């Protein structure tokens, strides 16, 4: 599915739709080049889950966690850009962070990828002539939760 994102309000609306459908155990895998809008979309999802403070980019921390009551469900926001080997995701305890939470994963390929998981929503963000576009791919568990 291709979703046009001509402006920031469209990104916010997509983030809200994803947040409404998100469940514990889900992965939202965000891919795209530098500046494609991965962090912007992740922030829109986090805000739509009720977080009202500034949402930091996990570029340097790699993982940021959000727990109720600050958000409506436990959430992990990870930016795997700095990982040099997928095994590093295990070394930082990714599975422990994911337990009972949803995962927003930027640069998922650096952590070995998640598209093979049933509960993975894959979103590729690309620049287009009139803004950006999101290309969504659905794992089996997302088939009845299309955007």
């Amino acid at each position: 599915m291709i979703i046009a994102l001509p402006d920031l309000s469209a990104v916010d609306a997509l983030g809200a739709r994803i947040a409404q459908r998100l469940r514990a155990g889900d992965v939202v895998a965000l891919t795209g080049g530098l500046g494609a809008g991965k962090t912007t979309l992740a922030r829109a999802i986090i805000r739509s889950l009720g977080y009202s403070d500034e949402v930091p980019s996990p570029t340097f921390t790699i993982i940021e966690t959000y727990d109720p009551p600050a958000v409506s469900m436990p959430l992990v926001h990870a930016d795997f850009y700095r990982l040099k080997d997928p095994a590093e995701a295990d070394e930082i305890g990714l599975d422990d962070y994911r337990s009972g939470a949803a995962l927003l994963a930027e640069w998922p390929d650096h952590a070995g990828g998640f598209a093979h998981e049933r509960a993975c929503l894959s979103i590729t963000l690309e620049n287009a002539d009139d803004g950006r576009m999101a290309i969504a791919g659905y794992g089996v568990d997302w088939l009845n939760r299309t955007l």
Side-chain angles (χ1 to χ4, degrees), residues 73-130:
M73 65 180 298
L75 183 71
V76 176
H77 179 197
D79 184 333
F80 297 117
Y81 181 76
R82 293 183 31 221
L83 299 187
K84 293 179 178 27
D85 185 288
E88 291 180 74
D90 292 332
E91 291 171 14
I92 61 174
L94 180 60
D95 287 341
D96 293 333
Y97 284 107
R98 289 184 64 186
S99 180
L103 171 65
L104 305 180
E106 297 184 44
W107 300 96
D109 55 316
H110 289 219
F114 302 94
H116 63 280
E117 294 187 20
R118 296 176 55 90
C120 183
L121 170 64
S122 298
I123 297 182
T124 301
L125 295 162
E126 295 184 2
N127 291 318
D129 292 336
D130 55 351

Side-chain angles (χ1 to χ4, degrees), residues 16-115:
R17 290 194 306 272
I18 293 169
Q20 289 170 349
R21 293 159 176 79
L22 200 60
R23 300 176 186 159
D26 284 346
V27 177
V28 179
L30 303 171
T31 60
L34 289 170
K38 296 176 297 296
T39 301
T40 301
L41 180 55
R43 285 178 172 145
I45 295 166
I46 294 166
R47 282 191 307 272
S48 292
L49 291 171
Y51 196 74
S52 59
D53 292 335
E54 182 179 338
V55 178
S57 170
T59 299
F60 295 104
T61 59
I62 301 177
I63 291 180
E64 293 285 337
T65 59
Y66 301 88
D67 294 301
V71 288
S72 59
M73 65 180 298
L75 183 71
V76 176
H77 179 197
D79 184 333
F80 297 117
Y81 181 76
R82 293 183 31 221
L83 299 187
K84 293 179 178 27
D85 185 288
E88 291 180 74
D90 292 332
E91 291 171 14
I92 61 174
L94 180 60
D95 287 341
D96 293 333
Y97 284 107
R98 289 184 64 186
S99 180
L103 171 65
L104 305 180
E106 297 184 44
W107 300 96
D109 55 316
H110 289 219
F114 302 94

